[in-house]
Amino acid sequence: MLERFRRFLTHYGVKDTAVVIGVSGGPDSLALLHLFIRLRSEFGLSLAVAHVDHMFRGAESALEMEFVKDFCRNHDVLCEAVQIDVPKYAEENPEMSLQSAARECRYSFFESVMKKHHAPFIALGHHGDDQIETILMRMTRGSAGTALAGIPEQREFAGGSIIRPLLSADKREILEYCSLNHLAPRFDPSNEKLDYTRNRFRKQVLPFLKEENPKVHGRFQYFSRTFKEDEEFLQELSKEKLNTVLKRKEKHEAELDIDLFNTLPMPLQRRCIQLILNYLYEDQPSSLSSIHIESLQSLLSHTHPSGSLDYPDGLKVIKSYQTCLFTFEQIKDQSFSRTVQIPSSTVLPNGHLLTCEIISGKPDEWIAGNDVFVMPAKSLTKPLLIRTRRQGDKIKLKGMNGTKKVKDIFIDAKVPVHRRNSWPVLEDGSGKILWLPGLKKSSFEDAGCGAGDYVVLQYKEQ
């Protein structure tokens, strides 16, 4: 173990620096501290211990704190110990489990100790058996992405790094090390209770795996390392592809081009969805799993043009033709109605700009495309009104006999459902719909013969 520990410190550059060590007093963290003490001089390390009494077990856990303090005094190591009333903290934060509350309090304290001692590293005592349990638990729960790689040997934390030098060792080795070095660690009786998922994996699943292969922890650690490397490579590819299929990305919304998305290989599709979710969720809910990704892939690949999914914490995913919208915004009333002054410039609620001006002479160069509408000023019935659609709206399209429902135009043009309620409609003072800006013109557009004044309206992005 000592030699593997030495190789680990060399590999991660833990030399001539300060290191904080999280020590509970149990065999794992005590062995970790003892190994650091043995190599302290060789690697030029300044050591400090961080210990948290979570106050779950009253006098028993308080005695463990005194044990850690005494051990540190006897080995000339600085010790930062604190008591935190985690049960009270969990009561004040009912959305958190006791274990989550304990972890949040513990890591917050670790961060403060690192800053106090200007330490770029905090070492924790997770070992190979912990790795097996973590990977199996996450697989069972339906985790996705790098979470399936389990516990990393090193990860960024508080401006520095968390390191876990004991992941190559299993519990048996650690207990043997404690025995050989007369360390007399303390044991937390809660680790024996089957109330916790991890304990059930430890007591019921792990022994079977150990029977099949006594060094199974080494295989899981190899899987963790290689899976993480593969996943990081695929994540980079996914980020590149996401830039090509994402139409829009804002703080609480994202919009995906479904046709382009469906051209991606399935592994990249899954990771692109995960990247979008990582971006939208500030704190990703634990209930979010691979099932949500699979259901979205199914929705996007289905031939039906529309559909929706409800994700945790109010995230709604809406498919409409070639567009998929991810939004936390509730679908609310987006209607508006405004008089258009002549001339004027109006910013519309959908973010586009509508300009209106008078020009003299023949306006032929203006009339191409659906982003411009032209009428002789003398034939215009005022006032002009820009508004959102109303039930039963119809328009007499240019070059067509009769009228067509605005609703059917939206459907034919495959306008996403979530955009239809904010799409502008221009009507004149008699109530005739003249123009669906950017989409269709009515037969009332008239460039005339060039004489007189013309009203020219333009619709464009800001």
Side-chain angles (χ1 to χ4, degrees):
M1 272 184 70
L2 183 65
E3 187 51 41
R4 273 180 284 157
F5 197 84
R6 181 180 280 113
R7 287 198 300 268
F8 182 96
L9 297 185
T10 301
H11 177 76
Y12 285 103
V14 187
K15 186 175 178 64
D16 299 323
T17 188
V19 179
V20 175
I21 305 156
V23 179
S24 66
D28 314 329
S29 60
L30 205 62
L32 177 69
L33 174 56
H34 192 262
L35 285 162
F36 266 109
I37 291 169
R38 290 177 68 181
L39 296 181
R40 171 168 46 184
S41 298
E42 180 181 336
F43 282 81
L45 303 177
S46 172
L47 305 180
V49 160
H51 173 86
V52 179
D53 174 7
H54 301 94
M55 300 179 69
F56 285 146
R57 295 178 288 118
E60 187 177 17
S61 60
L63 286 173
E64 288 171 3
M65 183 171 72
E66 293 306 315
F67 167 76
V68 172
K69 287 180 177 179
D70 288 342
F71 189 94
C72 290
R73 273 194 297 268
N74 293 335
H75 292 83
D76 194 26
V77 176
L78 287 170
C79 182
E80 302 283 356
V82 67
Q83 287 184 306
I84 302 176
D85 192 343
V86 172
K88 181 180 178 182
Y89 182 79
E91 188 178 329
E92 294 169 350
N93 297 274
E95 74 283 0
M96 302 178 73
S97 67
L98 270 177
Q99 296 303 312
S100 297
R103 187 183 189 281
E104 185 168 299
C105 292
R106 183 167 63 251
Y107 277 73
S108 177
F109 179 64
F110 288 164
E111 181 175 356
S112 68
V113 176
M114 287 176 71
K115 289 179 178 177
K116 178 178 178 179
H117 294 279
H118 307 288
F121 297 102
I122 178 162
L124 302 179
H126 298 100
H127 52 76
D129 289 2
D130 293 328
Q131 183 72 287
I132 296 172
E133 295 157 14
T134 299
I135 291 173
L136 292 177
M137 286 167 60
R138 291 180 181 176
M139 284 182 173
T140 303
R141 191 167 59 224
S143 298
T146 52
L148 285 175
I151 308 169
E153 288 184 329
Q154 181 269 344
R155 73 170 177 87
E156 293 180 0
F157 175 73
S161 296
I162 292 174
I163 54 173
R164 297 178 172 95
L166 298 184
L167 284 175
S168 62
D170 67 359
K171 189 73 170 186
R172 177 190 56 80
E173 290 179 273
I174 290 171
L175 290 173
E176 286 181 359
Y177 181 89
C178 289
S179 178
L180 287 170
N181 291 278
H182 311 291
L183 297 183
R186 298 301 186 258
F187 292 87
D188 183 348
S190 66
N191 291 334
E192 302 300 316
K193 295 179 180 178
L194 294 182
D195 299 348
Y196 301 115
T197 303
R198 181 175 291 276
N199 289 355
R200 292 195 293 274
F201 273 89
R202 181 175 300 155
K203 296 294 183 182
Q204 297 171 353
V205 179
L206 195 57
F208 168 76
L209 296 176
K210 294 278 188 179
E211 284 181 15
E212 293 295 313
N213 180 1
K215 295 192 178 297
V216 67
H217 65 283
R219 304 318 307 153
F220 271 76
Q221 186 58 19
Y222 175 79
F223 166 81
S224 173
R225 189 180 299 114
T226 55
F227 184 91
K228 182 173 180 289
E229 291 168 355
D230 293 348
E231 185 64 23
E232 287 173 350
F233 174 72
L234 288 170
Q235 288 278 359
E236 286 303 312
L237 280 180
S238 300
K239 287 176 184 176
E240 291 177 15
K241 294 298 183 182
L242 185 60
N243 290 330
T244 68
V245 303
L246 206 58
K247 298 172 69 174
R248 182 170 61 90
K249 186 174 78 169
E250 298 174 6
K251 185 175 182 182
H252 298 296
E253 285 191 352
E255 206 170 322
L256 193 69
D257 186 306
I258 295 174
D259 287 344
L260 290 176
F261 176 81
N262 284 333
T263 65
L264 299 179
M266 292 293 280
L268 298 189
Q269 287 187 15
R270 287 193 296 271
R271 286 163 178 83
C272 280
I273 293 171
Q274 188 66 59
L275 285 170
I276 293 171
L277 297 177
N278 289 345
Y279 169 76
L280 291 173
Y281 281 111
E282 291 181 6
D283 294 307
Q284 199 165 114
S286 58
S287 56
L288 194 71
S289 72
S290 57
I291 294 173
H292 294 92
I293 294 175
E294 289 169 13
S295 60
L296 180 53
Q297 280 184 293
S298 176
L299 176 67
L300 297 183
S301 63
H302 200 277
T303 55
H304 197 280
S306 63
S308 65
L309 296 169
D310 291 310
Y311 275 20
D313 293 355
L315 178 63
K316 197 166 188 68
V317 184
I318 305 165
K319 174 188 178 182
S320 182
Y321 299 106
Q322 280 74 48
T323 299
C324 180
L325 175 71
F326 299 75
T327 180
F328 283 103
E329 298 296 324
Q330 297 298 314
I331 305 302
K332 53 183 179 294
D333 182 14
Q334 298 173 300
S335 61
F336 65 87
S337 179
R338 298 178 185 177
T339 300
V340 179
Q341 302 298 328
I342 306 173
S344 66
S345 180
T346 307
V347 178
L348 301 177
N350 66 357
H352 283 63
L353 184 68
L354 182 72
T355 60
C356 179
E357 58 184 313
I358 298 284
I359 67 166
S360 298
K362 193 174 181 181
D364 289 347
E365 69 273 15
W366 289 92
I367 64 175
N370 290 314
D371 292 333
V372 178
F373 188 84
V374 178
M375 278 190 73
K378 64 182 180 181
S379 63
L380 179 65
T381 303
K382 297 179 182 179
L384 283 177
L385 188 71
I386 193 78
R387 61 170 176 80
T388 44
R389 66 173 178 163
R390 296 171 184 157
Q391 188 172 3
D393 271 347
K394 294 180 180 179
I395 182 172
K396 186 177 181 182
L397 292 174
K398 198 169 187 177
M400 173 183 168
N401 292 325
T403 61
K404 187 167 185 175
K405 290 181 178 179
V406 169
K407 174 184 176 182
D408 293 337
I409 293 172
F410 284 144
I411 292 172
D412 292 345
K414 297 184 177 179
V415 175
V417 174
H418 62 276
R419 286 187 175 179
R420 295 176 193 176
N421 291 334
S422 63
W423 201 283
V425 175
L426 182 75
E427 71 173 23
D428 68 6
S430 68
K432 295 193 298 282
I433 295 179
L434 304 178
W435 182 35
L436 300 178
L439 195 59
K440 291 289 182 181
K441 297 179 180 182
S442 74
S443 60
F444 302 110
E445 183 179 58
D446 182 8
C449 297
D453 293 335
Y454 288 82
V455 177
V456 178
L457 296 109
Q458 280 190 288
Y459 177 73
K460 57 189 175 182
E461 293 185 14
Q462 290 193 84

